[in-house]
Amino acid sequence: MRIHHLNCGSMRSVEPTREGLPSIPAVNHCLLAETDHGLVLVETGLGLGNVRDPAGTLDPSWVAQVEPALEEEETAIRQIERMGFDATDVRHVVLTHLDVDHCGGLPDFLGAAVHVLAGELEAALREAPSLRYRPAHWTHGPRWRAHESTNDRWFGFDAVRPADLPEIRLVPLGGHSAGHAGVAVHDGDRWLLHCGDAYYYHRELDEDPEPHPLFDVIQTRSAVDHDRRVGTQAALRALARDHSAEVTLFSAHDPWEFGRLTG
């Protein structure tokens, strides 16, 4: 399986907390996996509809806070087309959650099955329209695959194994949203774990955690369960410490993590 790391929507620039790293725009880190059963897109980032009609698809206060670049060439569909594929080649989209910057590109992949935890889908349909959930991203009627929790285990975490995606696990990582999950992708002899918004900055996984002042404000304000979010980060910190040879962790918006994995 070949895996591509994509930035599907640059946002406002962020400063590092220590010298030696540049100030660069935050990213919307997505994965594209070429599998035997078609392309699997993990997260969509922002889509064509967001670029062309931000006022109609995004909350104005979110746009003001996040300062998205809204460049068409950064959308997942345009990057996939540059690789020689088209939208119909994307058979599955797997989402950590349904915040706008994680699912804004859903209308660009009308034929894909969309995998998400059931609790997240229920919250999004119930609470939209809101700052985080925008109905424009699913008015086309996605082929939802809403997954309930199971008794499967993955490195000590609960996990859901979609029947038609043997290389994928949905790993509940609670706290940020009602049904937030990580997405684990098996890549040869190791796993990649897309942690979504379970953490925002790579130094949060250090043994002596160092939050980012800007990212920390964002994640604290947006969490639905602060204590659960803190517990999730502690569990991810232990995973990174004890299984670094088997699992590579990364979050959705850290540009330095993205640079390390693409460089």
Side-chain angles (χ1 to χ4, degrees):
M1 182 166 59
R2 188 177 183 187
I3 297 176
H4 308 270
H5 294 264
L6 311 177
N7 170 24
C8 299
S10 297
M11 299 178 288
R12 65 184 296 176
S13 289
V14 288
E15 302 277 346
T17 59
R18 299 183 185 179
E19 294 183 1
L21 294 175
S23 299
I24 47 179
V27 299
N28 277 308
H29 194 156
C30 304
L31 295 179
L32 181 70
E34 299 180 38
T35 76
D36 292 339
H37 40 271
L39 299 182
V40 177
L41 182 62
V42 178
E43 310 276 70
T44 70
L46 297 173
L48 292 176
N50 303 132
V51 172
R52 296 170 179 174
D53 183 21
T57 61
L58 301 170
D59 186 276
S61 62
W62 184 87
V63 174
Q65 293 169 18
V66 174
E67 301 175 8
L70 298 176
E71 295 179 1
E72 185 166 323
E73 292 308 303
E74 283 193 337
T75 62
I77 182 59
R78 292 293 180 253
Q79 295 190 62
I80 287 169
E81 289 171 345
R82 290 199 296 273
M83 296 178 194
F85 302 108
D86 61 38
T88 60
D89 294 317
V90 178
R91 306 292 178 82
H92 299 271
V93 175
V94 188
L95 300 172
T96 63
H97 60 305
L98 287 164
D99 280 6
V100 296
D101 47 340
H102 296 259
C103 75
L106 282 181
D108 300 331
F109 304 100
L110 300 180
V114 181
H115 300 261
V116 66
L117 289 186
E120 183 67 12
L121 180 59
E122 292 166 4
L125 297 180
R126 181 178 65 249
E127 297 174 17
S130 64
L131 184 99
R132 74 188 320 159
Y133 298 134
R134 307 300 290 178
H137 298 143
W138 50 76
T139 54
H140 62 284
R143 293 170 49 211
W144 296 113
R145 302 280 180 86
H147 297 278
E148 301 286 351
S149 298
T150 68
N151 293 323
D152 290 348
R153 300 292 284 172
W154 181 87
F155 291 97
F157 289 78
D158 291 336
V160 179
R161 178 176 178 171
D164 43 2
L165 293 173
E167 310 93 343
I168 303 289
R169 303 289 186 277
L170 277 163
V171 183
L173 299 176
H176 176 71
S177 66
H180 186 274
V183 179
V185 181
H186 195 241
D187 181 20
D189 59 351
R190 66 182 295 109
W191 289 87
L192 297 173
L193 179 61
H194 192 312
C195 297
D197 287 351
Y199 74 96
Y200 277 61
Y201 185 48
H202 58 279
R203 294 194 185 278
E204 291 177 89
L205 296 186
D206 290 350
E207 282 299 300
D208 184 15
E210 182 180 346
H212 187 282
L214 174 61
F215 282 148
D216 199 47
V217 169
I218 295 170
Q219 68 179 332
T220 300
R221 287 179 176 175
S222 60
V224 299
D225 188 326
H226 172 77
D227 292 341
R228 194 174 180 195
R229 177 184 69 82
V230 172
T232 291
Q233 288 191 355
L236 290 174
R237 199 171 297 121
L239 177 65
R241 180 192 65 227
D242 298 337
H243 297 282
S244 60
E246 301 157 279
V247 184
T248 297
L249 290 76
F250 59 92
S251 60
H253 303 303
D254 186 319
W256 302 286
E257 281 183 332
F258 182 78
R260 173 172 54 82
L261 289 167
T262 57

